[in-house]
Amino acid sequence: MRSARISGMLVAVLLAFAGALSVPGTAHAAGYRYWSFWENDGATWTYATQGPAIARPADGTVNGFRFAVSADSQDAAKPRRTPDFASVCGSTPAKPGVKRVAVVVDPGTRADAPDGETPPAPLAECARVDADATSADALAAVAKPLRYNSDALLCGITGYPRSGCGEQISPAATPTASRATGALQKPADDEDTPTLGILAGAAAVLALAAAATWQARRRRA
């Protein structure tokens, strides 16, 4: 009677482990394909706190734009090139009433490109614009044509991509952006597999079940 009770308890525990093993891992967050806007202090890219149509950069500023699939601003891919102002605008002399803004445009990688499109070459140009011009004005001076949607969201730079604007990408197709390097990597194939803790627990339960069965057989003998 006692062995039957032990066996029943072990079966229940095994069923619980089987249920845990069948539960898939945490789903990846959906991402969005869009142009992100960055500011540079000469060494590091920082995600801009204002949109390019609002930000008014000073003379000597470096602005960056990166096209990628990102879940949000926390994992957005940075421009892969980090030039200083002098390397872009060093040969453009200052003039009264105008300002110079170094504009870096990184169209991203093939992994982020819409179907049927290929990212154009990155560019870094010096925009000379009016003193009160916005970052959007500086971008338009060196990277036409630009494309906006009805909500004034920047959708295309130098004609790329041809269509679409901030569309959501399914989790399975969303690459993960490295916050440290801005490099895009696909999720590992084993991220949805059971944890080692669950597997170890299941092995322990199986061992107990074998021991209980052996003990019950020994008593009957």
Side-chain angles (χ1 to χ4, degrees), residues 89-155:
C89 291
S91 60
T92 304
K95 287 186 176 182
V98 299
K99 61 186 176 185
R100 298 160 299 164
V101 179
V103 178
V104 177
V105 178
D106 185 348
T109 67
R110 286 182 177 270
D112 295 314
D115 291 342
E117 296 201 49
T118 300
L123 66 83
E125 298 287 345
C126 187
R128 182 182 289 176
V129 291
D130 293 339
D132 62 347
T134 65
S135 292
D137 295 328
L139 178 64
V142 297
K144 290 180 179 179
L146 304 182
R147 181 169 58 86
Y148 291 87
N149 69 2
S150 58
D151 296 321
L153 178 65
L154 180 61
C155 305

Side-chain angles (χ1 to χ4, degrees), residues 69-71 75 111-112 169 171-177 184-187:
V69 176
S70 306
D75 77 339
D112 295 314
I169 308 302
T174 303
T176 301
L184 295 171
Q185 302 170 331
K186 289 187 177 181

Side-chain angles (χ1 to χ4, degrees), residues 56-70:
R56 297 184 184 278
D59 182 76
T61 299
V62 179
N63 284 173
F65 298 85
R66 172 68 191 268
F67 187 76
V69 176
S70 306

